[in-house]
Amino acid sequence: MSSASSAATPVADSTRRRVAIVHGPNLNLLGSREPEKYGRVTLTEIDERLRAMGAAREVDVECIQLNGEGELVTWIQQAGPHVDGFVINPAAYTHTSVAIRDALLATGKPFVEVHLTNVYAREPFRHHSFLSDVALGRVMGFGALSYDLGLTGLLDRLG
Ligand code: CA2
């Protein structure tokens, strides 16, 4: 049993919760363009903070940013079996993508929809979301803090 005890670490790791943070198109530009609208915080800084929040609760947080709708669908499909839930800012695809909705639903995992801005204070075409009725919750309007609140809500629900 002495050498077999080395298996203890992977077993412990596999019980850790795992959450994916998914950023949609153009969010890679955060901090460098339109700071008056989207703030000065970069995506790297947001991701670092979310990983630190996860680490403090022994949760693995994996972050991804993709510009393409198909790329997002493929990534969500592949991540689904390996994560306990998603925090997603689908960016412009929020308002257009049945495919991302279907991909999230197909995972069977809960997800929180987050937005930096209050979409209801913006153009009417941003008022509809293809995700909100099937999301665990929705956080918007708090800039980068929306992600923190979304992750906190998801982790609280996962227990
Ligand atoms: O408020 C949000 O988080 C949005 O998801 C941002 C999307 C927008 O299409 C949604 O309606 C609301 C736009 C993301 C574009 O990100 C940029 C960041 C910096 C500079 C330019 C674009």
Side-chain angles (χ1 to χ4, degrees), residues 25-27 29-30 33-34 38 89 91-92 94-95 114-117 119 122 126:
N26 295 308
L27 289 165
L29 301 176
L30 273 183
R33 302 271 204 294
E34 300 188 75
Y38 295 114
N89 182 349
T94 306
H95 320 298
V114 301
H115 298 283
L116 297 156
T117 61
V119 294
R122 302 184 63 183
R126 297 185 200 275

Side-chain angles (χ1 to χ4, degrees), residues 123-147:
E123 303 95 325
F125 66 81
R126 297 185 200 275
H127 296 185
H128 179 260
S129 165
F130 277 98
L131 302 186
S132 58
D133 63 311
V134 288
L136 176 61
R138 198 173 187 219
V139 185
M140 68 175 74
F142 297 102
L145 183 61
S146 293
Y147 285 92

Side-chain angles (χ1 to χ4, degrees), residues 3 6 8 41-42 64 74 80 85 89 105 110 112 124 133 144-145 149 152:
S3 62
S6 63
V41 182
T42 67
I64 184 81
T74 299
N89 182 349
L105 285 174
V112 176
D133 63 311
L145 183 61
L149 298 170
T152 300

Side-chain angles (χ1 to χ4, degrees), residues 12-34:
D13 281 348
S14 71
T15 64
R16 274 173 80 103
R17 290 239 180 257
R18 196 153 186 228
V19 167
I21 311 293
V22 182
H23 308 283
N26 295 308
L27 289 165
N28 54 308
L29 301 176
L30 273 183
S32 66
R33 302 271 204 294
E34 300 188 75

Side-chain angles (χ1 to χ4, degrees), residues 1-12:
M1 190 63 191
S2 58
S3 62
S5 65
S6 63
T9 304
V11 169

Side-chain angles (χ1 to χ4, degrees), residues 81-97:
H82 307 290
V83 300
D84 297 294
F86 298 84
V87 174
I88 182 166
N89 182 349
Y93 293 136
T94 306
H95 320 298
T96 63
S97 182

Side-chain angles (χ1 to χ4, degrees), residues 49-121:
R49 204 156 88 191
L50 296 172
R51 283 197 201 94
M53 282 177 63
R57 298 178 67 160
E58 299 191 349
V59 174
D60 290 333
V61 173
E62 182 172 355
C63 306
I64 184 81
Q65 188 277 327
L66 293 164
N67 285 325
E69 184 178 19
E71 289 178 296
L72 283 159
V73 167
T74 299
W75 197 90
I76 290 165
Q77 284 180 5
Q78 290 174 350
H82 307 290
V83 300
D84 297 294
F86 298 84
V87 174
I88 182 166
N89 182 349
Y93 293 136
T94 306
H95 320 298
T96 63
S97 182
V98 177
I100 292 174
R101 173 195 175 98
D102 288 348
L104 286 164
L105 285 174
T107 69
K109 303 292 168 64
F111 70 90
V112 176
E113 177 186 346
V114 301
H115 298 283
L116 297 156
T117 61
N118 175 1
V119 294
Y120 294 110

